[in-house]
Amino acid sequence: MKIGIIGSTGLKIDLLTDRYQFETIDVAGKPFKYYRGFVGDKEIIMTARNQYNGSVPPHEVDQKLIMKGMKLLEADTVVGTAVVGSLSADIAPGTYLVLDQFLDFTKKAPNTVYDSGEFAFVDFTEPFCPVTRKTLIRACEETGVDFLPHGCYVGVDGPRYETSAEVRMFGMLGGDVVGMTNVTEATFARELGLCYGTICLVVNYGAGLDPKKEVTRQSCYEKTMESLNHTVDILKHFVDIYTGEEDCDCHLKNSDMLRKDNA
């Protein structure tokens, strides 16, 4: 069994386990960098969105490279971690969410993993793998963190933060949190037939929800690091309890991939 982990800000491989080695593979002419190791009998494939190249802003993350790399390495499921802003006064910083829906407000992010010549009509009624979600929920329950078992993620391009009017609008439309990476990641995973789920950490209130505070990179980073050990505990427990024995149909969702000349 292989479990893929895509790390967000602050998630260091040495905090997860000390049984890893750095490797690369070629993905369509680009080097995909990852750590590989074993926890028990489960192989872990872990990478960072910045591909270990220092600070890479969210709008420059190479999502195609990352998800195609996970596909080539035959990950049975992939878990993404994310830090997000709250769209509700009822969802406080420090809360975790196991996402089950998203709203796509990206404008410039690539909207398909396929290159020229191919495309797919892919079902997104449930954009995240139900089995991976179920296991993440159990991992949160059993580690005792404050979390919500459902959440709607609003995806934006970044790198700027949102206006207070945008935060109000996103909340009215049903969004719970806002971020800059997850929609593209989930889309590519589904198109590639990969099981995929996300555990989100709320690190700030969206613009205008706390009139005494502006949204700053530093404050978001500090909240991320404050909760880092909890994030690691969730991931460790997920690896421990994930069996892959329950059935899902994620691998079938990309079955109607077409070539343009056959459309």
Side-chain angles (χ1 to χ4, degrees):
M1 178 183 296
K2 295 181 182 179
I3 297 176
I5 297 174
I6 301 173
S8 53
T9 300
L11 192 63
K12 303 293 186 182
I13 194 68
D14 56 332
L15 291 177
L16 189 59
T17 179
D18 60 0
R19 290 174 285 178
Y20 278 75
Q21 58 184 357
F22 185 79
E23 297 186 6
T24 62
I25 58 172
D26 182 87
V27 180
K30 295 181 179 180
F32 173 66
K33 303 175 183 179
Y34 66 100
Y35 285 90
R36 183 176 65 88
F38 291 86
V39 176
D41 61 349
K42 297 171 184 174
E43 184 175 356
I44 309 300
I45 304 160
M46 186 168 181
T47 192
R49 291 193 179 93
N50 65 15
Q51 281 286 279
Y52 308 104
N53 290 327
S55 179
V56 176
H59 65 292
E60 293 183 1
V61 173
D62 193 337
Q63 304 279 17
K64 285 188 180 183
L65 174 69
I66 292 171
M67 299 314 295
K68 285 183 176 181
M70 290 292 181
K71 180 70 172 181
L72 286 173
L73 291 169
E74 299 180 327
D76 292 288
T77 189
V78 179
V79 175
T81 66
V83 292
V84 296
S86 172
L87 297 173
S88 168
D90 296 328
I91 304 176
T95 304
Y96 287 90
L97 292 87
V98 180
L99 299 180
D100 63 340
Q101 287 292 323
F102 67 67
L103 295 170
D104 187 357
F105 276 83
T106 62
K107 304 179 184 70
K108 296 181 180 179
N111 57 12
T112 179
V113 75
Y114 293 112
D115 297 316
S116 177
E118 297 178 336
F119 66 96
F121 297 110
V122 184
D123 177 65
F124 263 88
T125 306
E126 294 185 20
F128 301 94
C129 171
V131 175
T132 304
R133 284 195 68 254
K134 180 179 178 181
T135 310
L136 281 170
I137 290 169
R138 182 182 162 193
C140 288
E141 290 173 340
E142 295 180 359
T143 52
V145 299
D146 292 329
F147 84 103
L148 297 174
H150 302 281
C152 181
Y153 179 107
V154 177
V156 295
D157 287 316
R160 72 165 176 85
Y161 293 121
E162 299 71 43
T163 68
S164 56
E166 288 171 328
V167 167
R168 290 195 302 272
M169 176 186 71
F170 293 153
M172 291 173 64
L173 291 174
D176 295 305
V177 294
V178 59
M180 303 174 188
T181 57
N182 191 257
V183 167
T184 305
E185 208 161 88
T187 299
F188 291 179
R190 178 57 52 81
E191 288 187 332
L192 291 167
L194 287 167
C195 295
Y196 176 81
T198 303
I199 181 72
C200 284
L201 169 66
V202 177
V203 295
N204 66 282
Y205 283 113
L209 290 181
D210 185 347
K212 296 180 181 180
K213 288 186 178 181
E214 294 182 346
V215 181
T216 67
R217 172 65 176 168
Q218 183 62 30
S219 64
C220 292
Y221 180 78
E222 289 173 358
K223 191 64 181 179
T224 299
M225 300 308 292
E226 179 183 317
S227 301
L228 185 59
N229 288 339
H230 293 310
T231 304
V232 172
D233 287 343
I234 294 168
L235 291 173
K236 284 183 176 179
H237 200 59
F238 176 88
V239 172
D240 285 341
I241 64 177
Y242 182 80
T243 66
E245 295 175 355
E246 292 188 66
D247 290 331
C248 67
D249 60 357
C250 296
H251 64 290
L252 300 175
K253 296 292 188 179
N254 67 340
S255 58
D256 51 354
M257 186 273 288
L258 301 170
R259 294 192 61 82
K260 287 184 178 179
D261 52 13
N262 293 329

